[in-house]
Amino acid sequence: MDKEISPKDEKTSERTGKSIRAIVKSAKQRWISFFCERLVLRPWLILWCTIFAFLCCVALLIAVNTRPTTPSEYDWSLPDDKYSLRGDMISDANDRVDKTEIAERSDQTMEWYYFYDADPNNYANKCEGPYGVVSARSIQAACQAEKVLWGREKWVTKFCYLDDGICRVPEDSIVTLFYQVPARTPLVNASYYIDDCPLLDDAQIAKVWSEIQLDWDSYNFYFDEEALARGYPCKSRSVLYIGSPLAGETEIAEYGDKQADKIEKQLVQRTENDLLSKYNMKGEGLMSAYLDRARDGESGKRIDILWWNAFVENSQFTQTVNSDFTLAICSIIFVWIWISVHTASIIIGTVSILQILLSIPLALFFYRVILQIKYISVMQNLVVFVILGIGADDVFVFYDAWRQSEAKIPSDFFGNDRLKERIQFAYQRAFQSIFNTSFTTAVAFFCYCYC
C-alpha cells in the first residue's frame, strides 16, 4: 500500500519548494543587478568586448567553411531506419561492382518520370469514363510530351541509356505501349511508329487496353491501382532512363559530381525549358512556373501532364527558398519600420534589427563550430522569419518595460544610480516574458527534431 504523507511532511516539502524558488529569484536579481551596474559604469567596454567576441565567432565560421552542402539523395533519409540500412547495403554492393570496367551509359542511373492525370484535383482517383487517360488524343499528347526528351539529338548521342550499346525506345512508357512499338527497337528506327506522334484510332486504343486488362500483373506499373476495377485508368505514368557513365568517364554518375552537372546543364535544364514553353507555363514575380498546369488532349477531355526529375526537384526547391528569402527581406524592412514607429526612433529601430540579424551568425557558430554539424542547406535561411518574430517581440517587451521604469523608479535617484535602477527594473520586468517566448520556441523545434 502507498504510504500516506503526513501534514508535517507536506509542510516540509512546501517550505523546501519555497526556499528553492527564493534562492533562484535571489540569484537572478543579483545577476541582473551586477550586469546593470557594469552596463552603466562601463558601457563602451561592454560594447567593444561584445563586438570583439562576435568578430571572433565570425572568423571561426569563415575558417571552418559555412557554404551550403551539395544536395544529395541522402539529405532526408533516416540513417538508422531499416530501409535506409538495406539501401546502404545495396549501394555498397553496387560500389563494388562499379569498380569493374563498365561500358558507356550501360547503367540506368537517373530517371525522368512523366505523369498523366485525367482529373488532378480529384484525390479520390476518379474521373469521367469511358477512357480516362487512354483516349486517342490523350495518348498522342503523352507522345508529344515525351518526345521533348527523347526527340532531342543529344538524348541519343550523349545521355540515353544504352542496351547492348544501342539507345532503344523507352520500355517503361505508355507511348510505346499503345503505339505498339516492338520491344528493343532502336530509337533511330522508331520513326515509323512514333516520329510524328500520329493520332491513333479508337479501335487500336481499345484493343491494347483489352490486352492490358488480360495481363494486368505485367502492366499495373503504368496505371493507378483502381484502373482494372474501374475499367479505365484515371492516372498513368512513364519513366525514361538517363544512362551513365558518360563518354570518357569510367564510373557511374552520382548527384553532385561533374557527370551529373553535365547532365543537368545540357539535358535537364533545356528539356525543362522546352516543356515549360510548350505548355505556356510562365512564373510571374516570385511565383513558380509549376503553379500553372500543363494541359493537353481533346477539348473537354484534357489531361494534366506532369514530369519529375531529381534535378528539377532540387532546382524548384532552391527557387522556392530563394523566393521566400526575398519575402524575408520585405519582412525585415516592415519590422524595422514598425519598431521605429513604435519607439519613435529610427536609431532604436535600426539597432534592434541589427542585433536581431547578428544573432544568426552567432547561432551558426554554435551549430557549425561547437556542435560540429556540417549539413547546411539554403532552407536554413528561412530561420530569418523565426528570428524576426522572437527578436521583434523581445524589443517591444523590453522597450515597454523601460518606459514603465520612468514612472516606477522613485525620483530621489539621480544620475547613474537612477539609470541603473531603471535598467534593472526593465530587465526584471521583461526577463520572464523574453525567456518564456524564446525557451518555448526552442523546445518546439527540439521536439520536432527528435519526435
Side-chain angles (χ1 to χ4, degrees):
M1 295 179 64
D2 296 336
K3 184 179 180 181
E4 293 185 1
I5 300 176
S6 66
K8 182 179 179 180
D9 292 337
E10 287 184 358
K11 291 182 178 180
T12 302
S13 177
E14 184 178 351
R15 285 196 298 269
T16 302
K18 288 182 178 179
S19 299
I20 293 174
R21 287 194 294 271
I23 293 172
V24 172
K25 184 177 180 180
S26 175
K28 183 181 73 173
Q29 290 177 342
R30 286 198 301 270
W31 179 85
I32 292 177
S33 177
F34 174 81
F35 173 75
C36 292
E37 184 178 358
R38 296 298 178 273
L39 187 63
V40 171
L41 296 176
R42 297 286 188 272
W44 289 106
L45 177 63
I46 292 177
L47 175 62
W48 288 114
C49 287
T50 303
I51 293 175
F52 176 75
F54 175 79
L55 293 177
C56 289
C57 292
V58 172
L60 287 172
L61 277 177
I62 296 174
V64 300
N65 183 10
T66 56
R67 290 180 299 177
T69 50
T70 302
S72 75
E73 58 186 310
Y74 304 107
D75 286 348
W76 304 103
S77 62
L78 301 175
D80 297 328
D81 181 75
K82 65 178 181 178
Y83 296 105
S84 297
L85 295 174
R86 292 174 183 175
D88 291 340
M89 294 169 62
I90 295 172
S91 178
D92 290 341
N94 288 335
D95 288 342
R96 295 174 185 176
V97 174
D98 294 345
K99 293 179 180 179
T100 62
E101 186 174 349
I102 185 169
E104 177 185 341
R105 289 185 280 154
S106 59
D107 180 77
Q108 296 178 340
T109 306
M110 301 173 185
E111 303 88 4
W112 185 292
Y113 280 92
Y114 281 96
F115 300 94
Y116 309 102
D117 199 330
D119 191 358
N121 296 321
N122 190 332
Y123 296 100
N125 282 342
K126 295 180 180 179
C127 60
E128 294 183 6
Y131 301 110
V133 293
V134 293
S135 67
R137 184 65 187 89
S138 296
I139 297 300
Q140 184 184 45
C143 177
Q144 292 169 345
E146 295 183 22
K147 187 180 177 182
V148 175
L149 179 61
W150 54 252
R152 313 183 76 84
E153 180 181 353
K154 288 188 177 181
W155 172 257
V156 177
T157 59
K158 291 187 175 183
F159 301 111
C160 173
Y161 160 69
L162 301 182
D163 181 7
D164 290 338
I166 299 174
C167 177
R168 305 183 188 277
V169 294
E171 292 185 358
D172 299 326
S173 167
I174 65 167
V175 173
T176 54
L177 183 63
F178 279 90
Y179 277 90
Q180 295 186 298
V181 183
R184 297 176 56 82
T185 300
L187 188 59
V188 294
N189 298 335
S191 58
Y192 173 79
Y193 302 94
I194 55 177
D195 187 43
D196 296 322
C197 295
L199 183 66
L200 301 175
D201 57 64
D202 293 334
Q204 181 174 344
I205 296 289
K207 175 177 176 294
V208 174
W209 176 242
S210 297
E211 293 173 353
I212 290 172
Q213 290 176 298
L214 293 175
D215 190 14
W216 182 249
D217 290 340
S218 299
Y219 297 103
N220 59 9
F221 165 83
Y222 299 96
F223 308 102
D224 61 275
E225 59 183 7
E226 299 175 8
L228 182 62
R230 190 190 305 114
Y232 56 89
C234 291
K235 305 176 188 295
S236 63
R237 63 177 172 178
S238 299
V239 57
L240 288 74
Y241 294 99
I242 300 171
S244 77
L246 302 181
E249 302 291 342
T250 57
E251 297 182 355
I252 294 175
E254 295 184 359
Y255 290 102
D257 65 13
K258 64 178 182 179
Q259 290 189 77
D261 186 61
K262 186 176 182 180
I263 292 170
E264 181 179 15
K265 291 180 179 179
Q266 296 188 15
L267 178 68
V268 175
Q269 290 181 356
R270 295 178 184 180
T271 303
E272 180 186 19
N273 290 336
D274 288 347
L275 284 167
L276 294 176
S277 177
K278 174 179 175 60
Y279 298 108
N280 197 30
M281 300 167 66
K282 299 177 181 179
E284 296 181 0
L286 300 178
M287 308 303 289
S288 170
Y290 286 96
L291 293 176
D292 296 332
R293 298 166 64 182
R295 300 279 289 172
D296 204 349
E298 184 179 353
S299 178
K301 298 179 182 179
R302 290 176 175 267
I303 61 171
D304 267 40
I305 299 173
L306 306 95
W307 53 90
W308 179 90
N309 175 270
F311 293 113
V312 176
E313 178 182 306
N314 290 334
S315 173
Q316 283 300 302
F317 178 81
T318 302
Q319 180 182 335
T320 301
V321 171
N322 290 339
S323 298
D324 289 344
F325 194 68
T326 302
L327 295 176
I329 295 174
C330 297
S331 300
I332 292 171
I333 296 173
F334 173 79
V335 172
W336 171 74
I337 293 174
W338 195 256
I339 293 177
S340 299
V341 171
H342 180 76
T343 60
S345 172
I346 294 179
I347 294 177
I348 294 178
T350 302
V351 173
S352 298
I353 288 295
L354 184 62
Q355 63 92 13
I356 290 172
L357 296 180
L358 290 182
S359 67
I360 296 176
L362 187 61
L364 191 59
F365 169 79
F366 282 93
Y367 177 85
R368 183 69 182 86
V369 179
I370 303 299
L371 300 178
Q372 292 290 303
I373 302 175
K374 297 182 179 181
Y375 178 76
I376 299 177
S377 167
V378 291
M379 189 176 68
Q380 288 166 303
N381 294 334
L382 300 181
V383 74
V384 172
F385 291 107
V386 179
I387 296 300
L388 270 178
I390 298 175
D393 178 68
D394 293 347
V395 170
F396 291 134
V397 170
F398 187 83
Y399 181 76
D400 287 344
W402 171 256
R403 290 177 62 182
Q404 293 171 16
S405 69
E406 187 174 6
K408 295 290 184 179
I409 300 303
S411 58
D412 53 348
F413 285 95
F414 300 97
N416 285 344
D417 289 338
R418 180 172 178 79
L419 181 59
K420 177 201 168 186
E421 292 297 323
R422 288 192 64 186
I423 294 176
Q424 184 171 335
F425 174 88
Y427 264 106
Q428 289 177 337
R429 185 84 169 181
F431 180 86
Q432 190 168 356
S433 296
I434 291 175
F435 174 80
N436 286 340
T437 55
S438 302
F439 179 73
T440 52
T441 303
V443 169
F445 276 100
F446 278 120
C447 290
Y448 177 78
C449 291
Y450 293 102
C451 294

